[in-house]
Amino acid sequence: MKLNALLASFAIVAGLAAPAMANTIGTVTVSDADWSYVTDYCDALDGLSVSDAFDFTPSATAELSTSSVQLSSITQSDCQKAGLI
């Protein structure tokens, strides 16, 4: 019976931890509220050359709207590794 309780506890913890892992890009953890800004920013980086992506800056509105991440710290490579582009 203890094994069942342990497995059930592990399943619950794993289920709660999964959304937090899904909101990580590069080394930054992004809140659920800010994730849409990150995906929009990555969409804007998609298709740019490496040098253009390096020079690209997010809109001031988007940058100011995010409380858990500074969009300009996210690179095109981060977006690619996260599977957003």
Side-chain angles (χ1 to χ4, degrees), residues 11-65:
I12 290 171
V13 169
L16 294 175
M21 292 179 356
N23 288 338
T24 300
I25 184 163
T27 58
V28 179
T29 302
V30 181
S31 71
D32 290 336
D34 292 340
W35 189 249
S36 64
Y37 292 105
V38 171
T39 57
D40 290 345
Y41 181 67
C42 287
D43 285 342
L45 292 176
D46 189 22
L48 296 177
S49 68
V50 174
S51 61
D52 287 341
F54 181 78
D55 293 333
F56 185 81
T57 55
S59 72
T61 304
E63 191 75 81
L64 293 172
S65 297

